[in-house]
Amino acid sequence: MDAVVSSRFRWTVVTPVVALVVLAASWGRHPNGAAGALLVAVVGGVLVGAVLAAVHHAEVVAHRVGEPFGSLILAVAVTVIEVALIITLMVSGDKDTSGLARDTVFAAVMISVNGIVGLALVVGALRHHLAVFNPEGAGSALATVITLASVTLVLPRFTTSEPGPEFSSSQLAFAAVASLALYALFVFTQTVRHRDFFLPVDSGPGPVDADGDGHADPPSGRTAMASLGLLLVSLVSVVGLAKVESPAIEDGVAAAGFPAAFVGVVIALLVLLPESIAAVRAAARDDVQVSLNLAYGSAMASIGLTIPTIAAASIWLDGPLALGLDAMQMVLLAISVVVGVLTVVPGRAKPLNGGVHLVLLAAYLFLSVQP
């Protein structure tokens, strides 16, 4: 066991350093042919490793501070990576990127509220008969996600101040401020005012661990500070490597014959994969509330932090910013909302509930490739 922990520790320490070295070596280079393909493969592998290391260190810090602060830290860390990828692609991409922010945020919402939630419910219900959680906390989180998605992604399709699915400057500013304010209000509710609604539900007898989150004992303060430093290094590496890798992501999607909007799906899948693993692990421990905190928290942060950041960045970014969803996306969002409400209201779920969410995710992914 000690050897496994030591090995994992070495891996998560070495990876951010290696990522910085690879970033320095590849920055500004655009080789062609076999050398270019090798560089893309190396940078892609190191980028994935840096993302995994970043979320691991965020998880260590999160474990130190306990729930629900832990889920909040994980969600914010993932959103920083997402914003970095979006902005680097919008700045460095030579193709139309007006809808990249919309496509990525919507993909993150669909993957979170259907994919992560669905996997967590299936795993939790299969292993523990029923997946049990706090409906007040989960319901509040889902309501916040619905409102954020409606204001930022649905309304632009129906406004008339600007042609197309765009906000005017004043409307975009309002949406950014409203999103940030609502996200801040939710964080206050989750961490201060009604923190107990977002703690894991004790579904059976037995001793409760010291920090009440079902994990092993929290790491020491020294370990948490080291992970905080490595988290910052990992995030810097992710931002830089994303800029290096961005042309390959766009070219790969085009070569596969997929719509350009699928670039947003790739970004969302990349940044949410580690968080999905963390949510499934929590569900396997019978901490489904933690899984829902992660899922809905990621969706909320993706909208509540990404949209204001992109709105601010649009001051110097060239071109329009299309945020409005198309008809098919709005239908999928509406169905996801109805199913999500029916899932969280009872406070417990069967494997069927998780399966319904996973089918919705599968439909979204398939229709993203074959619209």
Side-chain angles (χ1 to χ4, degrees):
M1 184 66 175
D2 291 339
V4 173
V5 173
S6 176
S7 175
R8 187 181 183 189
F9 175 76
R10 286 197 301 270
W11 180 84
T12 55
V13 169
V14 170
T15 299
V17 178
V18 171
L20 276 182
V21 173
V22 172
L23 174 60
S26 60
W27 187 263
R29 296 192 178 186
H30 304 283
N32 298 317
L38 179 61
L39 177 63
V40 167
V42 171
V43 171
V46 175
L47 175 59
V48 173
V51 170
L52 292 170
V55 178
H56 165 75
H57 290 298
E59 194 170 23
V60 172
V61 177
H63 194 187
R64 174 65 182 177
V65 300
E67 282 295 323
F69 299 98
S71 299
L72 178 63
I73 291 174
L74 282 169
V76 171
V78 166
T79 304
V80 169
I81 298 172
E82 178 185 329
V83 171
L85 288 169
I86 292 173
I87 292 180
T88 51
L89 282 171
M90 292 182 72
V91 171
S92 60
D94 55 358
K95 302 179 178 63
D96 179 20
T97 57
S98 60
L100 179 62
R102 171 200 62 207
D103 297 332
T104 305
V105 170
F106 183 63
V109 171
M110 293 298 290
I111 292 169
S112 297
V113 303
N114 287 317
I116 299 179
V117 169
L119 282 173
L121 295 181
V122 168
V123 171
L126 287 177
R127 294 199 61 172
H128 305 283
H129 185 61
L130 284 174
V132 181
F133 49 88
N134 193 322
E136 282 132 326
S140 299
L142 179 59
T144 307
V145 172
I146 294 169
T147 303
L148 286 171
S150 300
V151 170
T152 60
L153 300 178
V154 176
L155 289 182
R157 178 59 67 175
F158 299 98
T159 54
T160 58
S161 297
E162 291 287 338
E166 300 174 33
F167 274 143
S168 66
S169 297
S170 59
Q171 290 170 341
L172 181 60
F174 169 79
V177 173
S179 298
L180 199 58
L182 184 56
Y183 181 71
L185 179 60
F186 176 83
V187 170
F188 174 76
T189 302
Q190 183 187 38
T191 59
V192 180
R193 189 70 175 181
H194 296 290
R195 180 170 177 255
D196 54 314
F197 289 164
F198 302 90
L199 296 177
V201 175
D202 185 11
S203 58
V208 179
D209 60 291
D211 58 2
D213 65 356
H215 292 188
D217 291 337
S220 65
R222 181 177 180 180
T223 300
M225 289 302 296
S227 284
L228 180 60
L230 290 168
L231 171 62
L232 295 176
V233 172
S234 299
L235 292 177
V236 170
S237 301
V238 167
V239 173
L241 292 174
K243 183 173 178 60
V244 175
E245 192 77 354
S246 58
I249 295 176
E250 294 178 325
D251 292 342
V253 170
F258 296 162
F262 197 74
V263 173
V265 179
V266 174
I267 295 174
L269 287 171
L270 175 65
V271 300
L272 289 175
L273 177 60
E275 191 134 0
S276 302
I277 296 172
V280 171
R281 287 176 177 172
R285 297 192 305 266
D286 203 16
D287 286 344
V288 177
Q289 183 62 51
V290 174
S291 302
L292 297 185
N293 289 348
L294 287 168
Y296 294 137
S298 295
M300 254 184 289
S302 181
I303 304 173
L305 299 180
T306 301
I307 296 301
T309 303
I310 298 300
S314 66
I315 297 174
W316 71 84
L317 290 176
D318 295 329
L321 181 62
L323 290 178
L325 300 175
D326 61 31
M328 181 189 71
Q329 291 172 325
M330 284 190 285
V331 169
L332 285 172
L333 179 62
I335 297 173
S336 300
V337 167
V338 174
V339 171
V341 170
L342 294 175
T343 296
V344 303
V345 165
R348 57 183 186 175
K350 304 176 288 295
L352 173 63
N353 298 100
V356 172
H357 283 284
L358 292 178
V359 167
L360 284 173
L361 175 65
Y364 163 69
L365 294 176
F366 177 76
L367 293 174
S368 296
V369 175
Q370 295 289 333

